[in-house]
Amino acid sequence: MALPKRIIKETERLVAEPVPGISAVPHEDNLRYFDVRIHGPASSPYEGGIFKLELFLPEDYPMTPPKIRFLTKIYHPNIDKLGRICLDVLKSNWSPALQIRTILLSIQALLGAPNPDDPLANDVAQHWKENVTAAIETAKEWTHKYATDTAT
Amino acid sequence: MDRISIEIVRRRTTAGDTPTQLDEELHWRHMIGNLGNKLGHSRVLYGGFLLSAYTMAELGELRYDSELSFKSLSTSGDHFEVQDRTLLARIKETIQNEMECQVCWGLMLDPLTTTCGHSFCRRCVARLLDHANSCPLCRKQLSIRPGATEEPSNQRLRALLESLIPDAVLARAEVVEIEESTTSDRGRVPLFVCGLSYPETPTFLHVFEPRYRLMIRRAMSGDRKFGMVAYNGRGEVQGDLGITQFMQCGTLLHIESMQLLPDGRSVIQTKGVSRFRILDHEMLDAYYVGKTERIDDIPIAAEEALEAAEISRFTTQASDPGSPNRLLSAMSTAELMQLCADFIERMKGASASWLASNFLQAYGDMPNDPAVFPYWFASVLPISEAEKYRLLPTTSVRERLKITAGWVRKVQGMSLGGMAPSANDDDSDHNEENDSQEMPDVTESTDRANLPTNGPSALT
Ligand SMILES: [Zn+2]
Ligand SMILES: [Zn+2]
């Protein structure tokens, strides 16, 4: 099946004008499936880490949002053990005027501003609320352990 | 529009030469009744016709409905023409970018402007409404009826596009036409994965899933046909297709009537046209489209030859018309039909619930045409879907009547007043929850069509 014009254009623009700190590359055999890498934002516990995600554009995209999850383990109150992300624009606040680029930017922003009041990973959120310093320390450790070149 | 003024202002700085004499010719309406000011404005401006006309309008000296005459005062020749041409090209390019629909990222096709002031293709608005009732740009509530057929187009935008970049508009319309065309005469049939339907028989559908709203809307604006295929609930291999979500054989339906509900759902009444087998399939905007071949009955001569050959294989004893256990293959096609017709007569006499008046109202009285009778029978008889599905790949009337006569035998073999019969012992477990007849006003509904969609987790 031919890919909708919009998906082709989005992919072209992602390549032509990449977002700093973000890359999204479609699979050769499935152009709706992207390998995504997001650099942890500066002065966040995720700084220095490169996080892998998978992104899939469903058949009725952009009427329905892309499906996306973290593949790299991450310690974050809004991201659960399975890598699922709690982000309103990926669910009820999705709009067809949004795009892959804006969604990835939102995820990058979420790394810079964890929100323990709207948690997906309850135990992490709890930790975040009770002892921010310790939680951030754990997030840094995980970043070093799972999201850097030395990580295996 | 802002982009256009930016483009023009940028041009103005380098266009101090090419003086042009401009004379406004007022519309006659302004010339009568306003005697004090019946002359149009006249000016000498710079930068070619387009730029100078724009400047004049900007100065408030060019009425919307005035004509304008130009005369180049350039001493250096026809430089202004080059200027006009480059400016026009830039404006066209700007418009093409500006007029991109924020939903499909293509040039706006038949632009429609919402009350919140945002414009999209009409077809994109219709698709938006299938999913939500808010503007994708500002999230304000949209007050547009489902399908977006009644809203007027934005005539200004439309005129602008069609006069400035007619080629691009045409090209876009053609691409969309190709993308969306699934007319059944080209063998590409949009597929509604739901239940069983049969030729010459009505099917009633409640359409509420966004993808099927879109599919039915497209069918309605085309030949009003789509294919109905049942769920492959048991995950059986479907010929060369492998294990598909749907059964390989289905029925082409024609939409007889459609009732659009205010919230975008609809109730449609369809009638079966012909049967088909799916050879290949793909996705189009979240619904399946199948490459199909028609399944037809063999010609009458071949049908008669088949009947004669089959009957002749049996001894007179096996085909004794008096025996109740007579082999079905030994019976003539007319006798098979008679066996079924007699059964229906008896069941009516016994007031069988599946022959209640509401079913007969929906499906009509028993048809006497032996080619059609099995489809009617399958529509009213409460037996398993797997059993009914056997009718779809048949290529002769005889083959179908043997199947239905088999059902009769099975029902007769059961104790009176028993539970819903199944014609095949192996198939007695029902694979679909709605094997039992629902009320005919909504016999099918797409709610069974909600299967998990492919997500990343499904791919890994
Ligand atoms: Zn559009
Ligand atoms: Zn709006």
Side-chain angles (χ1 to χ4, degrees):
Chain A
M1 183 67 217
L3 221 52
K5 185 190 178 93
R6 156 144 182 181
I7 295 181
I8 297 169
K9 272 195 169 181
E10 274 204 58
T11 309
E12 283 170 359
R13 286 186 202 174
L14 277 170
V15 174
E17 309 149 31
V19 193
I22 296 176
S23 75
V25 184
H27 276 207
E28 253 171 49
D29 54 347
N30 185 351
L31 296 171
R32 288 178 177 271
Y33 188 93
F34 292 73
D35 283 324
V36 176
R37 280 181 168 72
I38 297 182
H39 290 248
S43 59
S44 80
Y46 312 100
E47 184 173 7
I50 297 173
F51 297 86
K52 287 185 201 167
L53 298 88
E54 59 177 3
L55 182 148
F56 178 75
L57 302 176
E59 283 293 335
D60 45 4
Y61 178 82
M63 294 300 153
T64 54
K67 291 172 191 288
I68 184 160
R69 73 177 180 106
F70 275 83
L71 295 174
T72 305
K73 266 178 80 122
I74 181 166
Y75 198 75
H76 191 291
N78 310 103
I79 300 161
D80 75 4
K81 284 196 187 78
L82 298 172
R84 293 175 301 191
I85 307 159
C86 179
L87 195 60
D88 59 347
V89 286
L90 284 175
K91 304 206 165 68
S92 56
N93 269 345
W94 168 254
S95 148
L98 296 172
Q99 46 176 299
I100 300 172
R101 178 188 302 271
T102 46
I103 287 300
L104 295 182
L105 281 168
S106 302
I107 292 170
Q108 200 181 35
L110 188 69
L111 294 187
N115 177 10
D117 293 323
D118 186 18
L120 194 62
N122 270 310
D123 45 342
V124 181
Q126 197 62 29
H127 192 194
W128 222 275
K129 280 187 192 171
E130 283 167 8
N131 190 344
V132 183
T133 333
I136 287 177
E137 214 38 60
T138 311
K140 278 183 185 167
E141 274 167 32
W142 280 40
T143 302
H144 184 72
K145 202 166 161 193
Y146 303 111
T148 57
D149 284 342
T150 55
T152 45
Chain B
M1 284 311 101
D2 290 349
R3 294 276 172 82
I4 293 175
S5 22
I6 291 168
E7 197 55 49
I8 284 174
V9 170
R10 188 186 298 159
R11 193 84 20 190
R12 186 173 284 153
T13 55
T14 61
D17 54 350
T18 62
T20 305
Q21 168 74 43
L22 294 106
D23 294 305
E24 185 190 18
E25 290 164 15
L26 288 181
H27 191 272
W28 60 269
R29 273 194 289 121
H30 300 294
M31 300 180 58
I32 36 179
N34 192 1
L35 296 166
N37 182 22
K38 64 178 177 186
L39 286 177
H41 298 277
S42 279
R43 259 188 189 273
V44 174
L45 291 163
Y46 300 92
F49 289 172
L50 268 178
L51 186 50
S52 53
Y54 184 89
T55 310
M56 192 165 175
E58 218 176 27
L59 292 169
E61 296 187 358
L62 186 60
R63 283 169 198 263
Y64 181 66
D65 50 5
S66 291
E67 295 287 323
L68 193 62
S69 70
F70 301 91
K71 196 168 69 188
S72 176
L73 304 176
S74 174
T75 48
S76 59
D78 290 330
H79 186 50
F80 67 94
E81 277 187 7
V82 181
Q83 291 223 354
D84 277 345
R85 238 176 281 133
T86 34
L87 179 57
L88 188 62
R90 288 291 301 156
I91 289 177
K92 283 183 178 182
E93 203 186 309
T94 310
I95 286 190
Q96 193 144 0
N97 290 333
E98 277 291 278
M99 296 293 148
E100 187 177 79
C101 168
Q102 296 288 296
V103 174
C104 65
W105 288 31
L107 187 67
M108 257 186 245
L109 204 60
D110 190 1
L112 195 154
T113 302
T114 62
T115 43
C116 50
H118 294 118
S119 304
F120 311 95
C121 312
R122 179 182 299 277
R123 55 187 277 280
C124 287
V125 173
R127 287 199 66 186
L128 289 168
L129 294 171
D130 289 340
H131 291 262
N133 197 24
S134 58
C135 172
L137 287 172
C138 67
R139 300 184 193 275
K140 284 215 179 78
Q141 192 97 29
L142 295 174
S143 53
I144 299 174
R145 295 251 306 152
T149 47
E150 287 159 33
E151 295 291 306
S153 307
N154 186 325
Q155 294 299 348
R156 278 223 188 154
L157 283 184
R158 212 174 146 161
L160 184 73
L161 289 168
E162 281 168 11
S163 59
L164 273 175
I165 40 173
D167 295 351
V169 173
L170 213 64
R172 180 73 188 131
E174 270 168 21
V175 166
V176 168
E177 168 83 30
I178 293 166
E179 272 176 6
E180 295 187 355
S181 78
T182 49
T183 48
S184 51
D185 54 329
R186 278 205 257 154
R188 277 183 92 214
V189 176
L191 299 174
F192 201 120
V193 184
C194 186
L196 285 170
S197 291
Y198 315 94
E200 302 297 327
T201 311
T203 302
F204 305 85
L205 288 158
H206 172 206
V207 183
F208 59 84
E209 270 190 83
R211 55 181 171 158
Y212 291 130
R213 291 186 193 188
L214 175 65
M215 190 189 96
I216 296 299
R217 195 164 56 245
R218 286 177 179 167
M220 286 299 285
S221 66
D223 61 2
R224 298 175 75 117
K225 289 181 188 139
F226 64 93
M228 173 63 85
V229 280
Y231 259 113
N232 180 10
R234 303 178 179 200
E236 290 164 340
V237 173
Q238 300 298 308
D240 293 341
L241 301 179
I243 297 175
T244 44
Q245 225 181 50
F246 45 81
M247 304 302 281
Q248 189 175 21
C249 296
T251 305
L252 189 68
L253 303 182
H254 180 262
I255 304 168
E256 308 265 281
S257 69
M258 173 178 183
Q259 194 196 345
L260 185 63
L261 306 176
D263 61 3
R265 291 177 299 137
S266 60
V267 178
I268 59 172
Q269 184 181 350
T270 66
K271 192 176 178 189
V273 180
S274 56
R275 294 167 290 140
F276 59 77
R277 175 177 284 106
I278 300 168
L279 306 175
D280 200 0
H281 64 92
E282 58 187 10
M283 279 294 221
L284 176 67
D285 298 319
Y287 59 81
Y288 287 104
V289 174
K291 184 167 169 274
T292 61
E293 69 176 3
R294 232 181 113 119
I295 303 173
D296 278 315
D297 285 344
I298 52 177
I300 294 188
E303 174 98 40
E304 283 169 354
L306 173 92
E307 180 184 9
E310 215 174 74
I311 296 173
S312 70
R313 292 212 315 268
F314 297 93
T315 59
T316 42
Q317 196 191 358
S319 61
D320 172 17
S323 163
N325 296 320
R326 206 173 148 211
L327 280 172
L328 294 176
S329 297
M331 292 169 75
S332 74
T333 304
E335 284 170 324
L336 290 167
M337 177 65 200
Q338 197 53 50
L339 183 150
C340 294
D342 288 348
F343 172 73
I344 297 294
E345 244 354 274
R346 279 201 306 282
M347 287 297 108
K348 273 188 184 166
S351 306
S353 61
W354 48 274
L355 285 172
S357 62
N358 51 348
F359 290 119
L360 295 190
Q361 228 164 37
Y363 296 105
D365 217 336
M366 188 193 99
N368 292 313
D369 181 351
V372 177
F373 166 78
Y375 302 135
W376 175 87
F377 196 27
S379 301
V380 296
L381 188 69
I383 56 164
S384 76
E385 295 252 313
E387 191 57 40
K388 292 178 180 182
Y389 178 75
R390 290 174 60 207
L391 292 179
L392 291 183
T394 57
T395 52
S396 71
V397 176
R398 182 171 174 77
E399 199 182 342
R400 281 198 293 284
L401 282 174
K402 275 163 70 180
I403 294 172
T404 51
W407 298 347
V408 169
R409 284 269 170 90
K410 202 77 188 177
V411 175
Q412 282 176 332
M414 297 183 66
S415 56
L416 281 171
M419 44 189 282
S422 175
N424 185 334
D425 289 333
D426 306 327
D427 280 340
S428 55
D429 58 318
H430 294 183
N431 64 330
E432 298 275 350
E433 67 263 33
N434 77 336
D435 275 349
S436 57
Q437 287 287 352
E438 293 165 25
M439 294 305 286
D441 55 345
V442 186
T443 43
E444 313 277 8
S445 85
T446 64
D447 52 354
R448 292 189 296 136
N450 283 315
L451 281 190
T453 48
N454 288 337
S457 45
L459 287 161
T460 46

